Amino acid sequence: MPDRGGGPTGPRIRVGRPSRRVRTLLMTLGVLAVLAMAFVMFAGFWTDWLWYRSVAYSSVFTTTLWTKIGLFLVFGLLMALAIGVNVWLAHRLRPPLSAMSMEQQSLDRYRMSVAPYKKWVLLAVTALVGLIAGASASGQWRTWLMYVNGVPFGQKDPQFKLDVAFYAFDLPWYRFLLGFGFAAAVLSLIAAALTHYLYGGLRITSPGARATGAATGHLSVLLGIFVSLKAVAYWLDRYGLAVKSSDFKATDNWTGLRYVDANAYLPAKTILFCIAAICAVLFFATLWRRTWQLPVIGFGLMVLSAILIGGLYPAIVQKFQVQPNEQAKEAPFIRKNIDATRDAYDIDDAEVEDYSGKSTTTDEARLRSDANSAAGYRVMDPNVVSPAFQQLQQKRNYYQFPQTLDVDRYKGEDGKEQDTVIGLRELNLDGLPKRNWINDHFTYTHGYGAIAARGTTTGTNPAGSPDFTESGLPTTGELPKYEQRIYYGEKTQQYSIVGGPQKELDYEEDGEKTTSYKGDSGVSLSNAFNRAAYAVSFSEPQILYSGAIGEGSRILYNRTPKERVEAVAPWLTIDGDAYPAVVGGRIQWVVDAYTTTNGYPYASRTTLGDTTADSLTTNQRAVVAQQNQVNYIRNSVKATVDAYDGKVKLYEWDTEDPVLKTWRKAFPGTVKARKDIPQDLMDHLRYPQDLFKVQRELLTRYHVENPAQFYSGSDAWQVPDDPTNKEPGAVPPYYLSMKMPGQDEQKFSLTTTFTPKGRPDLGAFMAVDADAAGKDYGTIRLLRVTTTVKGPGQVQSELNGNDDVAEFVRNLKGTDSDIEYGNLLTVPLDGGFLYIEPVYTRGGTQNYPLLRKVAASYGSKIVFENSLGEALNAVFGVEESDTTTPPTEPTEPPGDTTQPPATGDAALKKAIADAQKAYADGQAALKKDDWTGYGKAQEALQDALERAAAAQPGSGSGGGASDAPDAADSAGASGDKGDDQGS
């Protein structure tokens, strides 16, 4: 030990070794610390395994895991060997004596300091490089699985006549191998050069030769390997031209060869390949010649050729051959791009027909009659009416509905399918009366019930509200009996622990109760090891020791449909909008999933996040794969997630998709055959919105198949901004039952409009048959407008300037209410286009939208009326008696239609008195927290209001949204202003 302050003759302080007990304690603590760190790292892996096993997709976890491990080990070892062997070889080839120079004397100090640890330094360096390379390679597991399981497309590219699978599955893997080879060669070259320099094989300032013969030969071989890889890169670049993106006047994101590529770059790459191969041979020849002269000359020639042949020559061809007559030169390549793009996005069979856009029919009564059957006009906008669902059907503050509801089809009481707006009453923890760990994760665990309303009619309580076909808590109505508890949903982000000693809040017909989860979902927490693992993974120590967890406890997490499908099928791209369907006595979330690739030759690329964004994606619905750039997409899988037990099922949808076939080979048994889809589920499957938005974006340019017209862009379209939304954004597509020209009956469709590029008038109308059970599912129909017709923005502008609208808005100012426009529906009708737009008011006595008016436009006429029927009558200039009431009129609640409703002052007074009593009973029940009594009072109130409406003179079944009595407006579903009504 050194001296401690006493100097050479001062006293020495003797420091003793720690006692055995202390050493044992320190060693124990060290071992425990290491074990704790290991357990923390292991916990994430273990909980993932438990989760995959709980959803019966453990094969996905193991296949992915073993693929990653295999790639990590193979490429990590290869990189470590490449570096280690070259460092070892450079050390072995060191000169026996170093030159006597200042440079070498300085290096001697480093050599001496490294000498005792040479092996450890070598192992540390190679291990570090190997770990980095292995980690990078493991991220290529998708590329590897697609390469080894690739299925032919059965289509060849027009330039090299290779199957598309080569570009989609093989070329990405070859490029990865090439990149890995370059990295290994460069790192080996650097490591070998440093070692040679350290041990005297390379000299910078020393007299004599700059490199020994051994160092020259070693480094020359490494340079030869690098140049050989460059030759391979030139050869692969030839094929890469077929999937290369470039700027081109004809279209954004052009992909594929153009004239200059085929006639300049392609031969240039071939020449450069030959030069690089010769240059590599010259580098290898230094093993015998021991001189750098020829390799350096060859390398310089390769660099000069790359500049002249690979850069200057194509620029000359473009300038003097292509630009003077670009349209003619590029026409054959534009043709290839059009064909490939239309095929890659499945729009090659889109049916395009000219459509005048102006009706030649003068028979207004016939037009009015045709309008009845042209469409089921959805006056309930799912993007607007969610607050009405929230106010009228929330029932508890800890429930919520999504901002954008979904549109589906359900059979009504008459057995016919009808467009239905549906939303699930999901759990909202922000609405809990008290937030704590037990409430958040044990007591309030699930939502309750599906709420549905007719899309084409409005209710009368209050007037203009949704016409509910399934409502209440628990829900009752037209839907078949089903399991109403919702443990898995779009808004369910938190984990829940269920099935154990702690009971959950639940409901029955007679009110609140407690329950315990009976499903087999989730992961068991019955053993201490699992509890410890989840306590670590979720950073929640209470999971380990809480008495609320015991025998039978299960933890539910990854609870959104999107999360679950993405986890069990990480090779799929998930649609931004999952929607619920009541199927087989359960609520099933239906999730559309896509297979994509970025390697389809000649097909132009699109960025999914940009293409699928619209006026609703700002804050209402998710955007699919934000930065995922693709040039091939198929809706190849329909997935379902059970809202009660979370079971995920994947069904094959596109039976011809080679990408799906490839993934099914990689993950056998994960995707069920299409024939296994139950018929009651098939009835609710629909054409997905995100795929439709991608296709419509491509069709703005690729509806044109003539290369000259495509090049000029004279017939280019654009997706218009949503005229009903104050925020900028593309108009969203709308689900609507309607007839296209030539169809005999209405089809459930997904529709959109186009305007000419840079102009506001209507350019085209697009609809796709969206009913998966129909024989024409997926058929895209385009109506190209051949005359000047008002576009959606122009119709909205005219509506805003309409005198009736202006008066309506002025009247609203006194009621502290705001106007809210619904979806502007476009329907082809007798050669023209009929626009229908529901108009809502929000504010005043109710803080949710109620349908008050309906606007309609046909030709040059625009009207603003109290109901859909009145709007159709007015826009076609017919009287009520001239036509029958359309099937989309607001309806009264079902009742005995054989007798006329009671009318007169006596009946009206009796109904108002009953309404007042029902309201008072409801308020009294609320004070007692008697929810059963409150529900009965609400039913009595609704019945009284309906009788009041029927008792008024002039009331009838054909009334619109504004035809109900003021009593209904003022009462509302919760009895607002009920005292005023009674007075």
Side-chain angles (χ1 to χ4, degrees):
M1 296 293 296
D3 292 341
R4 298 290 183 183
T9 59
R12 296 179 179 274
I13 301 176
R14 183 178 182 87
V15 180
R17 295 179 61 190
S19 67
R20 175 177 295 181
R21 179 178 298 177
V22 172
R23 293 200 306 272
T24 303
L25 178 61
L26 291 175
M27 184 176 296
T28 301
L29 291 175
V31 171
L32 290 176
V34 171
L35 289 176
M37 293 176 61
F39 184 77
V40 169
M41 292 185 290
F42 176 75
F45 164 82
W46 181 245
T47 54
D48 284 347
W49 161 248
L50 291 175
W51 186 87
Y52 275 96
R53 192 174 64 177
S54 73
V55 294
Y57 281 90
S58 56
S59 63
V60 174
F61 179 82
T62 54
T63 299
T64 305
L65 177 65
W66 287 117
T67 302
K68 289 180 178 180
I69 291 175
L71 292 173
F72 176 87
L73 293 177
V74 169
F75 287 95
L77 185 61
L78 285 175
M79 182 65 77
L81 285 174
I83 304 301
V85 167
N86 279 284
V87 170
W88 172 82
L89 186 60
H91 178 265
R92 185 184 179 109
L93 296 176
R94 68 190 183 279
L97 297 174
S98 59
M100 298 300 295
S101 65
M102 292 297 296
E103 179 185 26
Q104 292 303 312
Q105 289 177 16
S106 298
L107 290 175
D108 278 342
R109 292 196 298 271
Y110 295 104
R111 287 193 285 264
M112 293 175 63
S113 61
V114 169
Y117 314 104
K118 285 189 296 186
K119 291 182 180 179
W120 293 109
V121 170
L122 178 61
L123 287 174
V125 170
T126 55
L128 178 62
V129 174
L131 287 173
I132 296 173
S136 176
S138 66
Q140 299 294 322
W141 64 270
R142 290 180 177 87
T143 306
W144 165 251
L145 288 176
M146 293 182 79
Y147 171 71
V148 297
N149 296 287
V151 172
F153 275 67
Q155 292 175 287
K156 299 183 182 298
D157 78 282
Q159 181 67 41
F160 301 102
K161 310 303 178 186
L162 295 174
D163 191 275
V164 173
F166 170 79
Y167 301 94
F169 305 142
D170 299 345
L171 189 58
W173 179 248
Y174 296 152
R175 282 176 164 168
F176 164 72
L177 292 179
L178 187 63
F180 179 83
F182 273 124
V186 170
L187 291 176
S188 297
L189 184 63
I190 293 173
L194 288 174
T195 305
H196 280 300
Y197 177 70
L198 182 63
Y199 287 97
L202 290 179
R203 302 159 189 164
I204 298 177
T205 61
S206 299
R210 299 297 185 197
T212 63
T216 299
H218 185 194
L219 297 180
S220 295
V221 169
L222 292 177
L223 287 170
I225 293 173
F226 176 85
V227 176
S228 298
L229 291 172
K230 189 62 179 174
V232 175
Y234 281 132
W235 189 256
L236 287 181
D237 284 347
R238 297 168 68 254
Y239 303 109
L241 293 172
V243 290
K244 182 193 73 170
S245 291
S246 60
D247 295 329
F248 186 34
K249 176 183 176 181
T251 182
D252 297 331
N253 297 319
W254 170 276
T255 301
L257 286 84
R258 290 160 50 196
Y259 181 90
V260 68
D261 297 312
N263 295 278
Y265 280 110
L266 187 58
K269 297 292 184 183
T270 304
I271 294 171
L272 289 172
F273 162 75
C274 296
I275 293 174
I278 295 171
C279 185
V281 171
L282 293 178
F283 272 107
F284 291 136
T286 56
L287 284 173
W288 297 276
R289 294 179 55 85
R290 302 292 183 180
T291 176
W292 290 88
Q293 185 175 8
L294 285 179
V296 170
I297 293 174
F299 189 78
L301 177 62
M302 186 180 73
V303 173
L304 182 62
S305 300
I307 296 173
L308 297 178
I309 302 175
L312 185 60
Y313 174 63
I316 293 173
V317 171
Q318 178 69 23
K319 180 71 174 177
F320 296 102
Q321 291 190 33
V322 178
Q323 287 186 4
N325 191 18
E326 188 172 45
Q327 180 176 311
K329 293 288 187 182
E330 301 290 9
F333 302 95
I334 293 175
R335 173 81 268 170
K336 296 173 184 177
N337 176 266
I338 292 174
D339 291 342
T341 302
R342 288 173 61 89
D343 181 74
Y345 291 94
D346 201 20
I347 57 177
D348 51 329
D349 293 329
E351 301 174 5
V352 184
E353 63 176 282
D354 290 339
Y355 189 78
S356 67
K358 291 186 177 180
S359 176
T360 58
T361 302
T362 57
D363 187 347
E364 293 178 332
R366 201 198 86 180
L367 284 172
R368 177 65 179 86
S369 177
D370 290 346
N372 283 346
S373 60
Y377 305 99
R378 186 169 40 71
V379 293
M380 282 291 103
D381 185 353
N383 312 312
V384 173
V385 300
S386 178
F389 274 53
Q390 190 79 3
Q391 290 290 327
L392 300 176
Q393 295 296 328
Q394 181 188 23
K395 303 299 183 184
R396 301 290 189 275
N397 286 337
Y398 42 82
Y399 288 137
Q400 64 179 330
F401 291 92
Q403 284 185 283
T404 298
L405 303 174
D406 289 292
V407 178
D408 203 346
R409 296 136 293 149
Y410 287 89
K411 290 183 179 180
E413 293 181 337
D414 58 0
K416 295 181 179 179
E417 278 194 348
Q418 57 187 7
D419 290 0
T420 301
V421 177
I422 187 171
L424 298 192
R425 190 192 282 123
E426 294 192 47
L427 188 64
N428 176 21
L429 292 182
D430 292 334
L432 294 187
K434 184 177 181 180
R435 297 291 302 272
N436 55 54
W437 190 63
I438 294 295
N439 277 350
D440 287 1
H441 300 290
F442 291 83
T443 304
Y444 297 91
T445 60
H446 58 277
Y448 211 97
I451 304 300
R454 292 181 177 89
T456 56
T457 63
T458 59
T460 58
N461 185 27
S465 63
D467 184 8
F468 292 110
T469 58
E470 187 79 12
S471 60
L473 179 66
T475 68
T476 57
E478 297 179 4
L479 294 181
K481 187 176 180 181
Y482 65 99
E483 170 58 65
Q484 298 194 19
R485 297 170 184 87
I486 302 164
Y487 284 89
Y488 295 88
E490 289 182 302
K491 302 296 183 181
T492 313
Q493 304 286 345
Q494 77 286 352
Y495 69 88
S496 289
I497 299 176
V498 298
Q502 184 70 37
K503 299 300 182 182
E504 311 162 46
L505 183 67
D506 200 59
Y507 296 93
E508 279 186 347
E509 293 182 2
D510 55 352
E512 292 185 7
K513 65 163 193 156
T514 59
T515 189
S516 188
Y517 184 63
K518 300 299 190 298
D520 59 356
S521 180
V523 178
S524 173
L525 294 180
S526 297
N527 66 74
F529 186 81
N530 285 359
R531 292 174 65 172
Y534 279 101
V536 171
S537 291
F538 289 3
S539 301
E540 182 49 74
Q542 292 187 78
I543 295 177
L544 182 60
Y545 56 77
S546 174
I549 304 175
E551 188 65 28
S553 292
R554 309 179 72 84
I555 185 168
L556 314 180
Y557 61 105
N558 287 351
R559 297 170 70 181
T560 69
K562 189 173 187 290
E563 283 178 325
R564 296 181 80 78
V565 176
E566 280 181 332
V568 303
W571 36 274
L572 289 174
T573 299
I574 310 302
D575 190 270
D577 183 33
Y579 62 96
V582 178
V583 175
R586 303 292 276 267
I587 298 175
Q588 299 285 348
W589 288 100
V590 181
V591 182
D592 286 287
Y594 309 107
T595 48
T596 63
T597 180
N598 195 27
Y600 198 102
Y602 274 100
S604 289
R605 291 182 170 88
T606 186
T607 302
L608 293 181
D610 296 335
T611 307
T612 58
D614 59 33
S615 63
L616 300 180
T617 54
T618 305
N619 56 12
Q620 294 195 42
R621 66 185 298 267
V623 176
V624 55
Q626 183 65 47
Q627 299 301 322
N628 193 4
Q629 194 174 66
V630 305
N631 67 352
Y632 172 94
I633 185 170
R634 289 291 186 274
N635 177 212
S636 53
V637 171
K638 301 283 189 181
T640 62
V641 177
D642 193 297
Y644 181 73
D645 62 19
K647 286 183 179 177
V648 182
K649 294 181 181 178
L650 307 176
Y651 294 102
E652 175 190 34
W653 185 247
D654 190 332
T655 58
E656 303 299 324
D657 178 29
V659 182
L660 177 60
K661 292 178 180 179
T662 296
W663 286 118
R664 291 188 73 181
K665 282 182 63 179
F667 295 96
T670 56
V671 181
K672 299 177 181 293
R674 177 167 176 160
K675 61 182 177 60
D676 295 333
I677 300 177
Q679 184 57 48
D680 53 354
L681 173 60
M682 182 72 77
D683 292 338
H684 292 279
L685 298 182
R686 68 188 192 187
Y687 203 83
Q689 293 185 61
D690 284 333
L691 176 61
F692 183 79
K693 287 190 282 189
V694 170
Q695 291 174 324
R696 76 172 178 178
E697 183 65 32
L698 270 295
L699 282 169
T700 58
R701 292 302 305 268
Y702 286 92
H703 68 278
V704 176
E705 298 187 62
N706 180 277
Q709 189 179 14
F710 185 90
Y711 177 84
S712 68
S714 59
D715 194 24
W717 301 333
Q718 65 186 12
V719 179
D721 282 342
D722 185 356
T724 66
N725 200 308
K726 296 179 182 179
E727 299 296 327
V731 61
Y734 297 128
Y735 287 105
L736 183 69
S737 290
M738 56 164 289
K739 287 195 302 187
M740 287 287 280
Q743 290 183 327
D744 297 327
E745 58 183 359
Q746 293 180 14
K747 303 281 190 180
F748 186 67
S749 305
L750 189 55
T751 66
T752 192
T753 54
F754 297 101
T755 58
K757 189 76 170 179
R759 300 209 314 271
D761 49 299
L762 191 63
F765 178 80
M766 174 181 172
V768 61
D769 286 2
D771 185 358
K775 63 178 181 179
D776 295 326
Y777 171 83
T779 301
I780 298 175
R781 295 179 172 88
L782 280 164
L783 302 180
R784 182 193 287 115
V785 181
T786 57
T787 60
T788 302
V789 178
K790 290 181 295 186
Q794 292 172 312
V795 172
Q796 189 66 49
S797 296
E798 287 189 16
L799 177 63
N800 294 340
N802 184 275
D803 292 339
D804 293 336
V805 176
E807 182 181 358
F808 183 72
V809 173
R810 282 195 300 270
N811 293 336
L812 283 179
K813 290 181 179 178
T815 63
D816 194 29
S817 296
D818 293 323
I819 190 171
E820 206 165 325
Y821 292 108
N823 38 220
L824 180 57
L825 304 176
T826 308
V827 177
L829 178 65
D830 287 309
F833 286 99
L834 173 64
Y835 290 97
I836 297 291
E837 182 173 27
V839 180
Y840 305 82
T841 62
R842 180 171 181 172
T845 58
Q846 99 287 331
N847 191 29
Y848 55 91
L850 293 177
L851 182 66
R852 293 302 188 195
K853 295 283 186 176
V854 176
S857 175
Y858 190 77
S860 60
K861 193 172 183 179
I862 190 165
V863 298
F864 187 67
E865 300 294 338
N866 292 329
S867 68
L868 176 61
E870 292 178 21
L872 291 176
N873 288 338
V875 80
F876 295 115
V878 299
E879 299 296 332
E880 180 68 30
S881 59
D882 294 339
T883 183
T884 58
T885 302
T888 55
E889 280 296 282
T891 60
E892 296 295 332
D896 183 5
T897 60
T898 62
Q899 297 292 333
T903 60
D905 292 340
L908 181 59
K909 290 178 180 179
K910 176 69 166 60
I912 292 177
D914 291 345
Q916 184 179 11
K917 181 179 183 303
Y919 172 70
D921 292 343
Q923 295 301 308
L926 279 176
K927 292 178 180 179
K928 299 176 183 178
D929 287 336
D930 179 7
W931 295 106
T932 301
Y934 177 74
K936 293 178 180 179
Q938 290 299 295
E939 292 176 0
L941 176 62
Q942 180 175 350
D943 177 73
L945 292 173
E946 290 166 1
R947 287 189 282 113
Q952 288 195 112
S955 65
S957 62
S962 62
D963 293 340
D966 293 339
D969 292 340
S970 61
S974 58
D976 292 341
K977 300 293 183 180
D979 292 336
D980 295 338
Q981 172 198 346
S983 65

